[in-house]
Amino acid sequence: MLEGIRVIEYATYMAAPGAGSILSDWGAEVIKVEPPGGDPIRKFFATLGTDYQDNPVFDFDNRGKKSIAIDTRTDEGNALLRELAKDADVFLTNVRPGGLERSGLGYEQLKADNPKLVYCTLTGYGLEGPDADKPGFDIASFWARSGVASATVPKGQDPFPCRTAFGDHTTSIATAAGICAALVEATKTGKGRLVESSLLRTALFAVGSDFAIQLFFGRLSSTKSRHEQNVPITNFFKTSDDHWICLVSRQGEADWAPICRAIGREDLIDDERFNSAKGRRRNVKECVEILDAGFAKYTREEMAKRLDEQSLAWSPVQTLAEAALDPQVKAAGGIVDVPSSAGDGTTFSSPASPVRFPGADDGPKGPAPRLGEHTRDVLASLGRSSTEIDQLLEAGVVTGELSTT
């Protein structure tokens, strides 16, 4: 879908590279501009004391890209990055705005050389306000600052961190969408625009239903335990073989009778304590205990059959290990094969991009690049001769392989 689109990704860590990974899967040429030491996530497992040929965390966010390593602190390196942006369709960065402006790499500065450029800046907190130039990480900007962490923690318990890059990759999806919208406009008008995404704003949208309630009513109910739910029949219940099931009820009273039949308690269908939302809320603890006993009579397989027979909405509560083997995950295209960076033809499984385009090549376009693997090729595309490239390499302006001739 994005074949012919060139993206210059001047970014490290996960949120912005994750957006670049999505664009790469969808066909864009993504040139990853790295510092001489490489994206710090290249060292994700080395930091933990291990060393693998493939790095599934780095590879997930960088598959199919080209890598050029430039020391942009030098005048020559800075000029090279500006030259790359001059003919690009998209410039994607998560470098803090103040640093970009001081380096001559701000939106207005690059726009002057390339009016059609879609310039996307991904930050922790946005481009305006007192915290615009503060560093942002998802556990802080997305999870903690937005209120998502406190809204998620059950009442009376301590805060806990989100899982690795959860907020980053939610923001990656939003960022890729914003870039694509701006590309549509650029195609029609010939003019690019500034695209601003942030961990904070994405988090507020992700928790938007609760945030809308807070904004409208000025208050929000806390996250409660299973025996304190406002809607006790939308809940989690354990089967006799120790598997949890998530049960979801529709609005109104349509699901109470089917639930009673599923757990073999038809006698409760007309019980005034439970046959209305108000009654179930008034008797929430007893209602959940009755449902607990009902689910505990059956195995997960038996309960699944009974719930399906009543056309109820439910799902097993799976581990990621179970999700990896789930045939529906495979059918939905949720896992793809990524070529190993070893270059030996082997592949490994990795999460797919979030959207499928049936009939299109919407998967990984290659392995994650080695640091500076494409430095020579990218510089050659700018018209640099082999001798000129060697001179840049020897001067430390760029990192890559010297000529063999």
Side-chain angles (χ1 to χ4, degrees), residues 2 5-11 15-24 26 28-30 65 88-94 116-122 171-187 191-197:
L2 297 180
I5 298 295
R6 173 174 270 202
V7 179
I8 304 303
E9 179 191 294
Y10 184 47
S21 175
I22 294 172
L23 300 177
S24 174
W26 295 348
E29 177 192 22
V30 180
K65 299 177 184 177
D89 298 286
V90 177
F91 185 82
L92 169 62
T93 185
N94 66 350
K116 71 176 179 61
L117 183 67
V118 171
Y119 184 111
C120 181
T121 170
L122 193 162
T171 306
S172 298
I173 298 170
T175 302
I179 289 171
C180 287
L183 283 171
V184 171
E185 181 187 40
T187 300
K191 296 180 180 179
R193 83 163 43 246
L194 178 64
V195 178
E196 175 191 344
S197 69

Side-chain angles (χ1 to χ4, degrees), residues 1-2 22 25-27 180 332 353-363:
M1 288 68 62
L2 297 180
I22 294 172
D25 277 5
W26 295 348
C180 287
S353 294
V355 177
R356 172 184 269 181
F357 299 88
D361 178 9
D362 56 8

Side-chain angles (χ1 to χ4, degrees), residues 9-283:
E9 179 191 294
Y10 184 47
T12 54
Y13 289 95
M14 294 165 168
S21 175
I22 294 172
L23 300 177
S24 174
D25 277 5
W26 295 348
E29 177 192 22
V30 180
I31 297 174
K32 182 178 182 69
V33 179
E34 300 188 65
D39 187 326
I41 301 303
R42 287 185 178 276
K43 301 180 178 70
F44 187 88
F45 287 98
T47 302
L48 301 177
T50 59
D51 187 20
Y52 299 109
Q53 170 66 48
D54 294 295
N55 176 343
V57 174
F58 178 82
D59 295 355
F60 169 54
D61 286 327
N62 294 285
R63 62 200 187 201
K65 299 177 184 177
K66 297 177 179 178
S67 170
I68 176 172
I70 305 177
D71 188 348
T72 57
R73 298 169 298 181
T74 65
D75 291 341
E76 299 95 328
N78 183 282
L80 282 174
L81 181 53
R82 290 178 61 93
E83 189 174 350
L84 283 169
K86 188 174 182 179
D87 293 320
D89 298 286
V90 177
F91 185 82
L92 169 62
T93 185
N94 66 350
V95 177
R96 281 186 274 173
L100 291 167
E101 294 291 337
R102 290 190 295 272
S103 301
L105 299 168
Y107 170 60
E108 294 295 339
Q109 295 155 310
L110 295 189
K111 175 185 174 184
D113 292 331
N114 184 357
K116 71 176 179 61
L117 183 67
V118 171
Y119 184 111
C120 181
T121 170
L122 193 162
T123 64
Y125 302 105
L127 295 180
E128 299 178 13
D131 296 336
D133 213 34
K134 281 191 173 182
F137 286 88
D138 71 338
I139 191 173
S141 312
F142 180 99
W143 188 248
R145 184 72 176 267
S146 66
V148 174
S150 62
T152 304
V153 175
K155 188 176 181 179
Q157 296 188 23
D158 295 335
F160 54 83
C162 60
R163 298 296 302 187
T164 304
F166 180 82
D168 285 329
H169 291 131
T170 306
T171 306
S172 298
I173 298 170
T175 302
I179 289 171
C180 287
L183 283 171
V184 171
E185 181 187 40
T187 300
K188 294 189 294 184
T189 66
K191 296 180 180 179
R193 83 163 43 246
L194 178 64
V195 178
E196 175 191 344
S197 69
S198 68
L199 295 165
L200 177 62
R201 182 163 172 165
T202 301
L204 294 173
F205 184 84
V207 76
S209 296
D210 279 331
F211 195 36
I213 292 171
Q214 176 65 52
L215 292 171
F216 189 86
F217 293 106
R219 62 184 184 274
L220 182 70
S221 63
S222 61
T223 298
K224 297 178 174 62
S225 69
R226 292 178 53 250
H227 292 84
E228 299 174 312
Q229 293 298 309
N230 293 330
V231 184
I233 56 176
T234 292
N235 217 325
F236 298 86
F237 302 99
K238 187 183 287 189
T239 59
S240 62
D241 51 352
D242 288 331
H243 290 288
W244 286 97
I245 282 179
C246 173
L247 179 66
V248 184
S249 63
R250 294 169 289 181
Q251 301 296 316
E253 302 302 333
D255 285 338
W256 175 245
I259 290 171
C260 292
R261 287 191 285 266
I263 65 171
R265 289 296 306 272
E266 289 83 350
D267 59 299
L268 297 173
I269 291 175
D270 296 320
D271 191 317
E272 292 184 357
R273 295 173 299 168
F274 310 119
N275 65 356
S276 69
K278 187 175 182 179
R280 289 190 293 272
R281 186 172 182 179
R282 186 186 304 118
N283 300 284

